[in-house]
Amino acid sequence: MNPFTTILNFFKPKDNGPTEADKKWVEGYKAFERGKQHYLAGGETHSIAAHIQNALDCFDYAIASGFEDGGIYGTRGSCLQLLDFHLDAIDDFNKAIPLEPEDSNLYYMRSVSKGATGDLYGCVADLK
């Protein structure tokens, strides 16, 4: 074999397929999609809390898997808000707003949770 080809083959990147992090991200994406289905189904049935809790569990798993796209923090914040976990919802809205600063709904949702926790100044500031 030509020595030049041997050297090129040595430095040529090897495609070993998806990494473990890639596989985990895909699992997170799938969990996010399942969570969205639960979230949307919550408004159609009488067991709203069960669907919202299932959606929250899926979103938690997705974030733990490294998936942070698609407005996941805003959607998870909405679930937390519906379950009256307003401080956790505020944390998620705080993470969502820098990712989507033009989405006024995130500010409104955060203001609702701030009002529920007694932070009326923060509530009004978000509404402005």
Side-chain angles (χ1 to χ4, degrees):
M1 181 183 271
N2 183 350
F4 184 70
T5 306
T6 304
I7 292 171
L8 281 178
N9 287 338
F10 180 75
F11 289 107
K12 186 177 179 181
K14 299 198 183 340
D15 183 21
N16 295 333
T19 65
E20 192 62 36
D22 292 339
K23 292 176 186 176
K24 203 162 169 89
W25 187 91
V26 169
E27 285 298 315
Y29 172 75
K30 290 178 183 177
F32 176 60
E33 290 298 319
R34 282 192 311 275
K36 286 195 310 187
Q37 291 172 354
H38 285 295
Y39 182 76
L40 295 174
E44 300 172 1
T45 64
H46 297 292
S47 61
I48 295 171
H51 280 290
I52 298 302
Q53 183 61 52
N54 288 338
L56 182 61
D57 293 340
C58 290
F59 296 145
D60 288 343
Y61 181 80
I63 290 171
S65 297
F67 184 83
E68 295 185 345
D69 301 333
I72 192 167
Y73 287 113
T75 310
R76 186 174 77 164
S78 178
C79 288
L80 289 165
Q81 193 176 61
L82 288 169
L83 296 172
D84 290 330
F85 296 118
H86 291 287
L87 292 175
D88 292 328
I90 291 169
D91 287 341
D92 272 7
F93 293 131
N94 286 341
K95 292 174 186 173
I97 288 171
L99 299 173
E100 300 178 79
E102 299 296 319
D103 188 353
S104 61
N105 190 44
L106 295 172
Y107 294 95
Y108 171 74
M109 300 288 282
R110 186 173 69 176
S111 76
V112 170
S113 285
K114 283 184 176 182
T117 61
D119 179 8
L120 299 182
Y121 291 111
C123 175
V124 171
D126 277 348
L127 292 174
K128 287 183 179 181

